[in-house]
Amino acid sequence: MSSPTSSTTYKLVHKEFLNGANNKFFSCDMYSGYAVTATYNGTVQFYQKKTSGWTFTQKFTGLGTVETGSSLSMYKSTAVLVSQEDIANDRLTFFRCGNDGNWKQTFTKTYPGGDSYGIGLHTVSMYGNKIVAGSGDSEEGNPVLLYYFKINKNGVPDENPKTITVSSFSVTVGSGSETISPRNIADVSMYGNNLVIGCPGSSSSDDGAAIIFNYDQGNDTWTQDSEFKDTLRATGQQNYGSSVSMYGLNFSVGSPGEKKVYAYTITSSSDINQYIINAPAEAAGQAGLASDYGYSVRMYSTYLIVSDPVTELVQVLQFGPDKVFPKSGWFNWNPIWITYKNHPPGFHLTDVGNFGQCVAIYGQNALVTNSDAINNGQLFFYTRNT
């Protein structure tokens, strides 16, 4: 793999503006030449990269609200959205792109929760024929849950998901121990037969945790892995786990309360490498604002995109030529900066706001969303030049 140089940049190649109330983006994703976005008013929009560049193709409306959070995920020519239909009901919507290039809404099901939070379809990840959704916040004393959907032979998710309990576990603290009890799932990310979930509020002291699950194909079940439980956490109210992303055996965890991103490589069933990425000086806070570095993290191949919507900074990094996050020393090269209208890193845009609210990366392409003070949505497509 060739090393990137200081001339590596991301060029803005397309932008979209969604005017009107509640057009603020809450999720986006990319796969190959496709991209998808979702807004607070329940609108899902698809884009395709054609010879002429990125082009809006289709829009679906009326797909729920985001009272407590919603999410979408894309894999090949399919996409899945989890959202709230109303205050007590959650909805899963599945889309498929046909050979004619048109997206169709092929499956929709509402899951009544019986309380004010539905069953908890609030964050989602899809890989192959598997979909896993996280349950967001749990009620006091109740465990948080994962919901596992299998895409069946008809090409749509099974209507009745399996429930996976996220169990409490003990971690070593000095000469003693502490029980981590996950209370919410902020983000989930799946690659192959591995899944990582982020739980930023996970005990009486609000310790954050990331938890790995392994898929057993023979039994069609997921098992919570406890091998790295002492490593995948941060103490105190740091929001460790507010965002997670996995690619192969590499994964990253955002901890915006610390202004850090933790990068990991699983090197064996009992060994993991950890490297801590601190917020750059430009994210130390602009115009009196505190940094939120690590608010969103997404990975593709050897690339990691990190956002800080408070200081409106988006950064792309790449790990070393051995494709392993080192135990010490980040692959030493200048990060690629993505900034709104090519402003210097960390420039605070008082007239725009929230640049980097949602990010996605695939191949040489990156996607960054933004919204202004009255929730007009703004969408920016970038292409990496080397």
Side-chain angles (χ1 to χ4, degrees):
M1 184 185 70
S2 61
S3 299
T5 67
S6 58
S7 62
T8 302
T9 60
Y10 274 82
K11 179 183 178 182
L12 178 62
V13 293
H14 182 73
K15 56 186 176 182
E16 294 269 339
F17 295 92
L18 280 66
N19 295 321
N22 290 325
N23 271 320
K24 179 180 178 181
F25 292 99
F26 67 79
S27 189
C28 69
D29 204 6
M30 307 182 83
Y31 195 98
S32 188
Y34 296 112
V36 60
T37 64
T39 63
Y40 274 64
N41 64 4
T43 298
V44 171
Q45 296 199 161
F46 288 93
Y47 300 82
Q48 185 174 356
K49 189 176 184 181
K50 301 182 178 180
T51 304
S52 59
W54 284 97
T55 304
F56 164 75
T57 55
Q58 283 173 270
K59 178 168 69 174
F60 297 83
T61 60
L63 298 176
T65 63
V66 286
E67 296 291 337
T68 58
S70 299
S71 175
L72 52 75
S73 181
M74 175 173 272
Y75 183 80
K76 293 187 176 179
S77 57
T78 59
V80 61
L81 170 76
V82 293
S83 57
Q84 282 200 302
E85 185 177 71
D86 52 47
I87 193 64
N89 298 295
D90 293 323
R91 175 192 288 177
L92 185 142
T93 307
F94 191 75
F95 305 88
R96 183 176 292 276
C97 186
N99 294 331
D100 59 359
N102 291 321
W103 287 88
K104 295 179 176 61
Q105 187 176 320
T106 57
F107 175 88
T108 299
K109 184 173 174 62
T110 298
Y111 296 89
D115 58 33
S116 61
Y117 295 101
I119 65 170
L121 299 180
H122 298 148
T123 181
V124 68
S125 182
M126 175 168 56
Y127 189 94
N129 64 345
K130 302 186 290 292
I131 298 171
V132 174
S135 63
D137 294 331
S138 66
E139 293 186 352
E140 188 68 29
N142 293 332
V144 289
L145 301 173
L146 291 167
Y147 297 94
Y148 165 49
F149 299 81
K150 193 81 170 282
I151 299 174
N152 58 35
K153 62 182 180 181
N154 296 319
V156 296
D158 288 330
E159 290 194 8
N160 300 311
K162 293 183 177 181
T163 302
I164 307 168
T165 299
V166 182
S167 302
S168 299
F169 53 93
S170 178
V171 296
T172 301
V173 180
S175 59
S177 64
E178 177 185 336
T179 298
I180 301 293
S181 301
R183 294 202 307 265
N184 65 345
I185 301 175
D187 201 7
V188 298
S189 182
M190 176 169 38
Y191 190 95
N193 292 328
N194 297 311
L195 170 75
V196 61
I197 69 172
C199 304
S202 300
S203 67
S204 58
S205 59
D206 277 336
D207 288 0
I211 305 171
I212 294 174
F213 287 79
N214 302 311
Y215 177 66
D216 182 338
Q217 188 170 357
N219 296 313
D220 192 29
T221 56
W222 291 89
T223 302
Q224 186 169 330
D225 191 331
S226 61
E227 183 65 39
F228 309 120
K229 57 186 175 62
D230 288 332
T231 302
L232 305 180
R233 67 187 190 92
T235 58
Q237 300 178 9
Q238 306 294 351
N239 287 326
Y240 175 95
S242 62
S243 60
V244 296
S245 186
M246 173 173 277
Y247 193 95
L249 294 178
N250 302 304
F251 65 97
S252 53
V253 180
S255 187
E258 299 179 282
K259 306 175 187 177
K260 295 178 180 178
V261 173
Y262 292 76
Y264 302 94
T265 291
I266 301 172
T267 56
S268 72
S269 60
S270 59
D271 188 38
I272 189 169
N273 287 357
Q274 171 184 284
Y275 189 77
I276 300 174
I277 308 166
N278 293 298
E282 290 85 356
Q286 302 293 325
L289 297 174
S291 170
D292 215 8
Y293 187 77
Y295 178 87
S296 183
V297 296
R298 292 293 181 261
M299 296 184 69
Y300 174 80
S301 184
T302 61
Y303 290 90
L304 165 65
I305 187 169
V306 182
S307 77
D308 177 358
V310 172
T311 57
E312 297 181 306
L313 175 151
V314 176
Q315 183 185 37
V316 180
L317 303 106
Q318 187 180 30
F319 54 90
D322 56 356
K323 298 186 178 180
V324 174
F325 287 117
K327 288 185 176 179
S328 62
W330 187 256
F331 185 34
N332 187 22
W333 65 288
N334 293 325
I336 305 169
W337 296 98
I338 296 177
T339 54
Y340 181 75
K341 292 184 179 178
N342 295 317
H343 283 298
F347 186 90
H348 178 64
L349 304 171
T350 56
D351 60 329
V352 181
N354 296 319
F355 182 77
Q357 200 166 37
C358 308
V359 294
I361 189 167
Y362 192 95
Q364 290 186 298
N365 303 301
L367 175 59
V368 182
T369 72
N370 186 38
S371 63
D372 61 18
I374 56 174
N375 291 335
N376 292 314
Q378 300 170 323
L379 186 67
F380 303 88
F381 288 91
Y382 295 85
T383 296
R384 186 175 70 248
N385 297 322
T386 56

